[in-house]
Amino acid sequence: MDEMIDATEESLIADMMAVNVTTFSAAAPSFIEPYRAALDLTATVVMTVNTINLMLGMGSATCWRELWHHLKKPIGCLIGMTGQFIVLPASGFGLAALCGLRPYEALGVLIVSCSPGGSFSNFFTYWCDGDLALSILMTACSSLVALGGMPFNLWLYSRYWMTQENEDEEPMDLTMTDDLPEAPGVDMPKLVIPYMNIIISLLFISIPVTVGMIIRHCNLRVANIITKVSTGFGWLGFLIVAIIWLLLYWGVFLSATKFIYLVAFLLPVVGFCLAYTLSKILCQDHRRCRTIGIETGSQNMPVALSIILLSFRDPLARSELILFPTLYGVTLLIEVFLGIGIFQCFKRIRPSSPEEADVELPEKHEARVEKATPAEKSNLI
């Protein structure tokens, strides 16, 4: 029994080190095949280093008093958690159902929709002049809430496809063991929530941010330099990861249907618009509305991919599940880059209003009133 468990663990590690495009190997160029594991490892290392770098830079751009202000009045964070774990999962479910996606494809949409917010959303918020302190707090809180909210949402919304009976398919069963399904969409193994990965993501966010805020508190000039350097390297990291993903997953783009493309394009936009509208209805200013919208539309892709790797071993199932997360990641980057470009151009045309000015909260000062001297009183007469 122990030997079987060891073999299973070794197989899982091998799967996680290898690229997740096994089923597309026939269509992939031959020169990519020998290096795809190395490319995948390179992308993982670059994303990890880039996350730490960006969180250090974002912490250096955040005043601890702003973070404390949101902790004392958490209305913005509560609205964000509503968008993250109620609005976006419902949007993903609705888009998958309306577009008539196949069961495994729809489950890929649900896994992404139910994931916590990603750390890159803080970088996006920074370039859109959002409330960076609120963005960091929302990212940390979503990682904590995801420990319970993510499995609940997956159980709730996947029931539609579990009980759906098509002419050529049997209803899916999420309580199956690790036996491989005979055909896509027939049976699925039990979903595994990567709690440790979520906790590690929380650490990757909180530790560098804390260090950055300490640096800002001690030396504002050094903090500003760190922020500028980290954002520059952040763009470089995004470019490297995007190129590697295009090399590794180009077969995904060739095999995806127009409906998968449509959902991948709409989900970030719908999440942003609905969360922005909800925030505005609840009387939040434009900076907070932008921040909550960005956080809602930007999901933690490593967590979503971990669920697929840990829960599914059948190549056919993985090939359908991996479609949406891959397309979503690339589509999100394209949409964010376009959105940031449009915002920066608009910002140069129209100066920001006083309520959108990104200023630190001032320290409290108490005025002391002293009695006037006789000479001063005589001068006033």
Side-chain angles (χ1 to χ4, degrees):
M1 184 66 180
D2 293 338
E3 294 178 359
M4 293 177 62
I5 294 175
D6 293 338
T8 302
E9 292 178 350
E10 292 175 2
S11 174
L12 178 59
I13 293 173
D15 287 342
M16 295 182 70
M17 292 296 295
V19 110
N20 306 319
V21 290
T22 307
T23 56
F24 304 112
S25 59
S30 59
F31 69 87
I32 289 182
E33 288 296 322
Y35 303 105
R36 61 186 188 179
L39 285 173
D40 185 63
L41 180 60
T42 301
T44 302
V45 172
V46 171
M47 288 183 65
T48 302
V49 174
N50 204 30
T51 299
I52 297 174
N53 164 65
L54 288 176
M55 290 301 97
L56 178 63
M58 297 304 98
S60 299
T62 305
C63 177
W64 66 268
R65 292 189 297 274
E66 295 176 348
L67 195 62
W68 178 244
H69 174 74
H70 288 300
L71 284 172
K72 290 193 299 182
K73 298 180 179 179
I75 179 64
C77 189
L78 292 175
I79 297 172
M81 294 305 97
T82 301
Q84 190 81 54
F85 293 99
I86 296 179
V87 173
L88 193 65
S91 301
F93 168 79
L95 289 172
L98 288 174
C99 292
L101 299 185
R102 290 177 293 183
Y104 280 129
E105 294 174 342
L107 187 60
V109 177
L110 289 180
I111 290 174
V112 171
S113 302
C114 299
S115 296
S119 57
F120 289 162
S121 59
N122 310 134
F123 180 71
F124 304 152
T125 300
Y126 173 82
W127 280 98
C128 288
D129 292 348
D131 192 327
L132 190 54
L134 175 59
S135 176
I136 292 173
L137 182 61
M138 281 183 58
T139 303
C141 289
S142 68
S143 298
L144 291 174
V145 176
L147 298 176
M150 191 175 186
F152 173 78
N153 278 324
L154 286 173
W155 169 82
L156 177 65
Y157 290 109
S158 63
R159 293 168 62 85
Y160 174 81
W161 286 276
M162 289 167 56
T163 58
Q164 185 183 44
E165 296 188 16
N166 300 323
E167 294 181 359
D168 299 328
E169 297 178 354
E170 297 293 333
M172 297 191 302
D173 184 9
L174 285 178
T175 61
M176 291 292 294
T177 60
D178 289 337
D179 295 335
L180 296 180
E182 297 179 0
V186 177
D187 292 317
M188 293 193 302
K190 185 177 180 180
L191 291 176
V192 179
I193 305 299
Y195 293 105
M196 185 55 64
N197 290 35
I198 297 175
I199 294 174
I200 291 174
S201 298
L202 181 61
L203 293 177
F204 273 126
I205 295 167
S206 58
I207 294 177
V209 165
T210 303
V211 173
M213 287 193 294
I214 292 174
I215 294 174
R216 184 177 184 86
H217 181 72
C218 297
N219 194 318
L220 182 60
R221 180 174 173 273
V222 173
N224 290 334
I225 293 175
I226 292 175
T227 300
K228 292 179 180 179
V229 172
S230 68
T231 53
F233 278 104
W235 284 115
L236 179 61
F238 280 134
L239 179 62
I240 294 173
V241 171
I243 293 173
I244 293 177
W245 275 10
L246 289 175
L247 288 174
L248 291 177
Y249 298 111
W250 72 275
V252 172
F253 298 96
L254 297 179
S255 63
T257 64
K258 59 183 179 182
F259 295 108
I260 289 287
Y261 273 106
L262 181 63
V263 177
F265 173 80
L266 287 178
L267 184 62
V269 176
V270 171
F272 175 87
C273 293
L274 292 179
Y276 189 99
T277 303
L278 176 63
S279 304
K280 203 60 187 173
I281 291 174
L282 296 175
C283 303
Q284 301 298 297
D285 59 42
H286 290 294
R287 289 183 66 234
R288 291 189 181 183
C289 291
R290 283 199 302 270
T291 302
I292 294 171
I294 291 172
E295 283 289 330
T296 302
S298 305
Q299 300 303 92
N300 194 322
M301 294 305 300
V303 170
L305 293 174
S306 296
I307 293 177
I308 295 173
L309 286 171
L310 292 169
S311 303
F312 300 89
R313 298 184 180 277
D314 177 33
L316 293 176
R318 280 187 175 183
S319 67
E320 293 193 35
L321 282 162
I322 206 69
L323 277 173
F324 183 79
T326 305
L327 290 176
Y328 172 86
V330 176
T331 304
L332 177 63
L333 289 178
I334 294 174
E335 291 177 349
V336 166
F337 291 161
L338 290 175
I340 290 175
I342 294 172
F343 176 82
Q344 291 296 329
C345 292
F346 182 76
K347 178 183 173 182
R348 284 168 172 77
I349 297 173
R350 186 188 71 88
S352 58
S353 59
E355 75 169 7
E356 297 186 21
D358 190 9
V359 296
E360 295 185 7
L361 297 178
E363 294 278 7
K364 291 183 178 179
H365 297 283
E366 294 183 357
R368 186 177 59 184
V369 180
E370 297 181 353
K371 294 182 178 180
T373 62
E376 290 173 337
K377 290 180 178 179
S378 63
N379 291 333
L380 293 176
I381 299 175

mmCIF file of all heavy atoms in Angstrom, residues 8 175-181 188-192 310-314:
data_model
loop_
_atom_site.group_PDB
_atom_site.id
_atom_site.type_symbol
_atom_site.label_atom_id
_atom_site.label_comp_id
_atom_site.label_asym_id
_atom_site.label_seq_id
_atom_site.Cartn_x
_atom_site.Cartn_y
_atom_site.Cartn_z
ATOM 1 N N THR A 8 2.141 7.023 -6.546
ATOM 2 C CA THR A 8 1.168 8.067 -6.893
ATOM 3 C C THR A 8 1.753 9.451 -6.687
ATOM 4 O O THR A 8 1.586 10.346 -7.510
ATOM 5 C CB THR A 8 -0.100 7.913 -6.028
ATOM 6 O OG1 THR A 8 -0.649 6.615 -6.234
ATOM 7 C CG2 THR A 8 -1.132 8.966 -6.396
ATOM 8 N N THR A 175 -18.062 12.169 -6.766
ATOM 9 C CA THR A 175 -17.643 11.344 -5.647
ATOM 10 C C THR A 175 -16.930 10.091 -6.109
ATOM 11 O O THR A 175 -16.684 9.198 -5.336
ATOM 12 C CB THR A 175 -18.867 10.936 -4.806
ATOM 13 O OG1 THR A 175 -19.775 10.168 -5.636
ATOM 14 C CG2 THR A 175 -19.589 12.165 -4.298
ATOM 15 N N MET A 176 -16.585 10.020 -7.379
ATOM 16 C CA MET A 176 -15.885 8.850 -7.904
ATOM 17 C C MET A 176 -14.479 8.776 -7.324
ATOM 18 O O MET A 176 -13.912 9.748 -6.864
ATOM 19 C CB MET A 176 -15.811 8.921 -9.433
ATOM 20 C CG MET A 176 -17.161 8.757 -10.121
ATOM 21 S SD MET A 176 -17.844 7.114 -9.938
ATOM 22 C CE MET A 176 -16.637 6.171 -10.868
ATOM 23 N N THR A 177 -13.904 7.596 -7.414
ATOM 24 C CA THR A 177 -12.520 7.406 -6.997
ATOM 25 C C THR A 177 -11.609 7.819 -8.130
ATOM 26 O O THR A 177 -12.021 8.473 -9.066
ATOM 27 C CB THR A 177 -12.287 5.933 -6.619
ATOM 28 O OG1 THR A 177 -12.571 5.128 -7.768
ATOM 29 C CG2 THR A 177 -13.208 5.515 -5.494
ATOM 30 N N ASP A 178 -10.352 7.404 -8.082
ATOM 31 C CA ASP A 178 -9.387 7.820 -9.084
ATOM 32 C C ASP A 178 -9.464 6.993 -10.364
ATOM 33 O O ASP A 178 -8.581 7.091 -11.204
ATOM 34 C CB ASP A 178 -7.959 7.719 -8.532
ATOM 35 C CG ASP A 178 -7.709 8.790 -7.503
ATOM 36 O OD1 ASP A 178 -8.425 9.790 -7.553
ATOM 37 O OD2 ASP A 178 -6.804 8.621 -6.679
ATOM 38 N N ASP A 179 -10.497 6.139 -10.500
ATOM 39 C CA ASP A 179 -10.628 5.393 -11.749
ATOM 40 C C ASP A 179 -10.828 6.356 -12.896
ATOM 41 O O ASP A 179 -11.589 7.307 -12.807
ATOM 42 C CB ASP A 179 -11.839 4.445 -11.669
ATOM 43 C CG ASP A 179 -11.615 3.382 -10.606
ATOM 44 O OD1 ASP A 179 -10.440 3.085 -10.306
ATOM 45 O OD2 ASP A 179 -12.618 2.883 -10.088
ATOM 46 N N LEU A 180 -10.152 6.107 -14.020
ATOM 47 C CA LEU A 180 -10.233 7.002 -15.157
ATOM 48 C C LEU A 180 -11.574 6.859 -15.850
ATOM 49 O O LEU A 180 -12.106 5.761 -15.981
ATOM 50 C CB LEU A 180 -9.108 6.699 -16.156
ATOM 51 C CG LEU A 180 -7.693 6.940 -15.638
ATOM 52 C CD1 LEU A 180 -6.695 6.588 -16.725
ATOM 53 C CD2 LEU A 180 -7.509 8.375 -15.212
ATOM 54 N N PRO A 181 -12.147 7.943 -16.331
ATOM 55 C CA PRO A 181 -13.406 7.867 -17.054
ATOM 56 C C PRO A 181 -13.202 7.242 -18.421
ATOM 57 O O PRO A 181 -12.160 7.377 -19.038
ATOM 58 C CB PRO A 181 -13.835 9.327 -17.166
ATOM 59 C CG PRO A 181 -12.576 10.103 -17.057
ATOM 60 C CD PRO A 181 -11.683 9.316 -16.164
ATOM 61 N N MET A 188 -16.110 11.858 -13.016
ATOM 62 C CA MET A 188 -14.965 12.657 -12.609
ATOM 63 C C MET A 188 -14.544 12.261 -11.213
ATOM 64 O O MET A 188 -15.371 11.915 -10.382
ATOM 65 C CB MET A 188 -15.301 14.146 -12.644
ATOM 66 C CG MET A 188 -15.548 14.687 -14.019
ATOM 67 S SD MET A 188 -15.559 16.481 -14.010
ATOM 68 C CE MET A 188 -16.860 16.794 -12.843
ATOM 69 N N PRO A 189 -13.224 12.332 -10.909
ATOM 70 C CA PRO A 189 -12.778 12.065 -9.552
ATOM 71 C C PRO A 189 -13.176 13.180 -8.604
ATOM 72 O O PRO A 189 -13.581 14.252 -9.033
ATOM 73 C CB PRO A 189 -11.249 11.995 -9.704
ATOM 74 C CG PRO A 189 -10.953 12.815 -10.901
ATOM 75 C CD PRO A 189 -12.127 12.640 -11.822
ATOM 76 N N LYS A 190 -13.013 12.935 -7.330
ATOM 77 C CA LYS A 190 -13.348 13.944 -6.334
ATOM 78 C C LYS A 190 -12.393 15.125 -6.440
ATOM 79 O O LYS A 190 -11.191 14.959 -6.564
ATOM 80 C CB LYS A 190 -13.262 13.328 -4.936
ATOM 81 C CG LYS A 190 -13.718 14.270 -3.829
ATOM 82 C CD LYS A 190 -13.672 13.563 -2.498
ATOM 83 C CE LYS A 190 -14.133 14.494 -1.385
ATOM 84 N NZ LYS A 190 -14.103 13.823 -0.066
ATOM 85 N N LEU A 191 -12.934 16.340 -6.404
ATOM 86 C CA LEU A 191 -12.102 17.534 -6.518
ATOM 87 C C LEU A 191 -11.240 17.695 -5.275
ATOM 88 O O LEU A 191 -11.697 17.476 -4.152
ATOM 89 C CB LEU A 191 -12.971 18.772 -6.708
ATOM 90 C CG LEU A 191 -13.712 18.889 -8.046
ATOM 91 C CD1 LEU A 191 -14.588 20.118 -8.036
ATOM 92 C CD2 LEU A 191 -12.738 18.934 -9.194
ATOM 93 N N VAL A 192 -9.990 18.081 -5.483
ATOM 94 C CA VAL A 192 -9.045 18.306 -4.392
ATOM 95 C C VAL A 192 -8.747 19.796 -4.311
ATOM 96 O O VAL A 192 -8.254 20.379 -5.276
ATOM 97 C CB VAL A 192 -7.735 17.516 -4.615
ATOM 98 C CG1 VAL A 192 -6.752 17.785 -3.487
ATOM 99 C CG2 VAL A 192 -8.023 16.026 -4.733
ATOM 100 N N LEU A 310 -4.163 18.210 -9.284
ATOM 101 C CA LEU A 310 -4.358 17.320 -8.149
ATOM 102 C C LEU A 310 -5.592 16.440 -8.294
ATOM 103 O O LEU A 310 -5.655 15.361 -7.703
ATOM 104 C CB LEU A 310 -4.479 18.139 -6.865
ATOM 105 C CG LEU A 310 -3.210 18.876 -6.407
ATOM 106 C CD1 LEU A 310 -3.535 19.847 -5.283
ATOM 107 C CD2 LEU A 310 -2.140 17.890 -5.978
ATOM 108 N N SER A 311 -6.571 16.878 -9.065
ATOM 109 C CA SER A 311 -7.855 16.179 -9.110
ATOM 110 C C SER A 311 -8.032 15.281 -10.319
ATOM 111 O O SER A 311 -8.816 14.327 -10.270
ATOM 112 C CB SER A 311 -9.011 17.197 -9.077
ATOM 113 O OG SER A 311 -8.924 18.023 -7.943
ATOM 114 N N PHE A 312 -7.347 15.531 -11.416
ATOM 115 C CA PHE A 312 -7.613 14.824 -12.664
ATOM 116 C C PHE A 312 -6.325 14.246 -13.241
ATOM 117 O O PHE A 312 -5.334 14.967 -13.390
ATOM 118 C CB PHE A 312 -8.260 15.756 -13.700
ATOM 119 C CG PHE A 312 -9.567 16.331 -13.250
ATOM 120 C CD1 PHE A 312 -9.602 17.525 -12.536
ATOM 121 C CD2 PHE A 312 -10.765 15.681 -13.514
ATOM 122 C CE1 PHE A 312 -10.799 18.059 -12.102
ATOM 123 C CE2 PHE A 312 -11.966 16.211 -13.087
ATOM 124 C CZ PHE A 312 -11.979 17.398 -12.377
ATOM 125 N N ARG A 313 -6.370 12.956 -13.558
ATOM 126 C CA ARG A 313 -5.209 12.285 -14.134
ATOM 127 C C ARG A 313 -5.444 11.873 -15.583
ATOM 128 O O ARG A 313 -4.485 11.632 -16.314
ATOM 129 C CB ARG A 313 -4.851 11.044 -13.303
ATOM 130 C CG ARG A 313 -4.458 11.384 -11.877
ATOM 131 C CD ARG A 313 -4.027 10.143 -11.121
ATOM 132 N NE ARG A 313 -3.646 10.481 -9.759
ATOM 133 C CZ ARG A 313 -2.450 10.940 -9.406
ATOM 134 N NH1 ARG A 313 -1.530 11.127 -10.334
ATOM 135 N NH2 ARG A 313 -2.171 11.217 -8.158
ATOM 136 N N ASP A 314 -6.689 11.787 -15.992
ATOM 137 C CA ASP A 314 -6.986 11.369 -17.356
ATOM 138 C C ASP A 314 -6.586 12.472 -18.336
ATOM 139 O O ASP A 314 -7.033 13.619 -18.212
ATOM 140 C CB ASP A 314 -8.487 11.083 -17.474
ATOM 141 C CG ASP A 314 -8.883 10.704 -18.897
ATOM 142 O OD1 ASP A 314 -8.047 10.073 -19.578
ATOM 143 O OD2 ASP A 314 -9.997 11.045 -19.318
#
